Amino acid sequence: MNKLNATVAVGGLLLVVGSGAYARSRPAQPTAADPNVVTIVATEFTFEAPDEIPAGLTTFKLVNRGQHLHHVQLVKLEDGKTAADYITALQAHGPPPSWAREVGGPNAPDPMGGEANATSVLEPGDYLLLCFVDMPDGVPHFVKGMIRPLRVTGAAAPPAAEPTADVRMRLDDYKFELSGPIAAGTRTIRVENGAAQPHEVELIRLAPGKTAADLMAWMQNMQGPPPASAIGGIAGMASGEHAYFTADFTPGDYVLICFIPDHKDGKPHFMHGMMQTIRVE
């Protein structure tokens, strides 16, 4: 799942009705907003998503209806740059340009109906939705059409409060640091990138009796059923970014892994040790 290493082209009025015969509508008074919820459907090889959404706290829900793994990498374009500029920059065979900032997004769930989510605060501007997953043939999915612009406009409503996290996860070079154990149940994880370069977390539930070594061996040829299930997590985030995801943690062993290539040698971060097994009780 070599993601960011791609080098080939390619608010409103609330109607309040009174009880009398002559009741009138009136403008609603501003109140704290709920998060904006945006559903993205992934198939081979396209995203179904809105063209424009309001700024502010946003929960992206990814539904993978394809037969392969897909994720949503959110990239904010700065300095007036466009999708064409971004593709041209990738063709230069170097690290992502400084004017393209990775801001997370829901990482890959299982194919054929798997769902994942990610919540973050979006500023107004121009963004891209991309899938950098390159399984099973080594060609990043955005090359095949999984790239889509997204316009984020100024929010009129007061900002929503960020979620309350059960556990904080810090991404660093090259490790995951958790503020405490993750207990079984539906849990919200706050993910923070404290490193100088982008990192992600892909959450994978191991099948009973399987290990991270079994997962790595399966990924070499992808023959037979996988020894694990992809749950989701947070796609690549630039230094200083944070986001949240919520998942149902059943008891068992899980792998945290970062597939993003290193800026120095191009090797995926898990090859530098950014892979960790955790136990959920």
Side-chain angles (χ1 to χ4, degrees), residues 48-120:
E48 295 178 16
D51 297 322
E52 184 175 293
I53 62 174
L57 190 68
T58 305
T59 296
F60 289 94
K61 293 186 176 181
L62 170 62
V63 181
N64 185 1
R65 293 182 181 161
Q67 299 182 29
H68 303 300
L69 290 170
H70 298 298
H71 75 158
V72 177
Q73 175 66 64
L74 276 163
V75 175
K76 186 176 189 298
L77 302 176
E78 301 174 342
D79 300 336
K81 299 298 185 178
T82 66
D85 294 325
Y86 185 74
I87 293 171
T88 299
L90 291 183
Q91 292 175 319
H93 304 282
S98 60
W99 44 261
R101 185 170 181 84
E102 301 89 351
V103 293
N107 227 336
D110 270 347
M112 305 298 289
E115 298 186 14
N117 63 80
T119 299
S120 57

Side-chain angles (χ1 to χ4, degrees), residues 27-280:
Q29 296 300 311
T31 58
D34 292 327
N36 183 37
V37 179
V38 177
T39 299
I40 301 174
V41 178
T43 55
E44 280 82 47
F45 290 96
T46 187
F47 290 124
E48 295 178 16
D51 297 322
E52 184 175 293
I53 62 174
L57 190 68
T58 305
T59 296
F60 289 94
K61 293 186 176 181
L62 170 62
V63 181
N64 185 1
R65 293 182 181 161
Q67 299 182 29
H68 303 300
L69 290 170
H70 298 298
H71 75 158
V72 177
Q73 175 66 64
L74 276 163
V75 175
K76 186 176 189 298
L77 302 176
E78 301 174 342
D79 300 336
K81 299 298 185 178
T82 66
D85 294 325
Y86 185 74
I87 293 171
T88 299
L90 291 183
Q91 292 175 319
H93 304 282
S98 60
W99 44 261
R101 185 170 181 84
E102 301 89 351
V103 293
N107 227 336
D110 270 347
M112 305 298 289
E115 298 186 14
N117 63 80
T119 299
S120 57
V121 178
L122 296 185
E123 299 176 350
D126 291 314
Y127 292 73
L128 294 176
L129 310 176
L130 305 102
C131 181
F132 284 102
V133 177
D134 65 0
M135 293 179 174
D137 58 7
V139 179
H141 294 168
F142 88 91
V143 176
K144 301 179 180 183
M146 294 192 80
I147 177 171
R148 182 184 176 95
L150 176 68
R151 178 69 177 168
V152 177
T153 60
E162 295 189 19
T164 299
D166 296 291
V167 173
R168 287 190 174 210
M169 180 188 299
R170 178 183 169 90
L171 312 181
D172 213 333
D173 297 329
Y174 299 95
K175 58 186 177 180
F176 302 94
E177 296 179 348
L178 278 67
S179 62
I182 300 176
T186 301
R187 306 296 176 199
T188 296
I189 312 299
R190 176 183 166 112
V191 183
E192 306 168 348
N193 184 9
Q197 61 178 307
H199 289 295
E200 68 172 344
V201 56
E202 172 68 24
L203 178 68
I204 299 173
R205 182 190 294 124
L206 293 170
K210 299 299 182 179
T211 67
D214 295 323
L215 175 63
M216 290 293 102
W218 178 83
M219 288 178 60
Q220 298 304 310
N221 53 35
M222 301 182 66
Q223 298 299 310
S229 296
I231 306 301
I234 300 295
M237 294 191 300
S239 177
E241 294 286 344
H242 73 276
Y244 303 80
F245 75 93
T246 299
D248 181 17
F249 290 85
T250 57
D253 291 323
Y254 293 73
V255 173
L256 310 175
I257 188 166
C258 179
F259 293 96
I260 293 178
D262 194 77
H263 282 181
K264 295 179 181 179
D265 61 15
K267 295 179 180 179
H269 289 158
F270 73 83
M271 294 184 67
H272 287 277
M274 203 165 179
M275 180 171 65
Q276 180 177 334
T277 301
I278 62 171
R279 180 74 179 175
V280 173

Side-chain angles (χ1 to χ4, degrees), residues 9-32:
V10 204
L13 278 183
L14 172 65
L15 188 65
V16 179
V17 180
S19 58
Y22 300 98
R24 299 179 180 179
S25 63
R26 67 177 185 270
Q29 296 300 311
T31 58

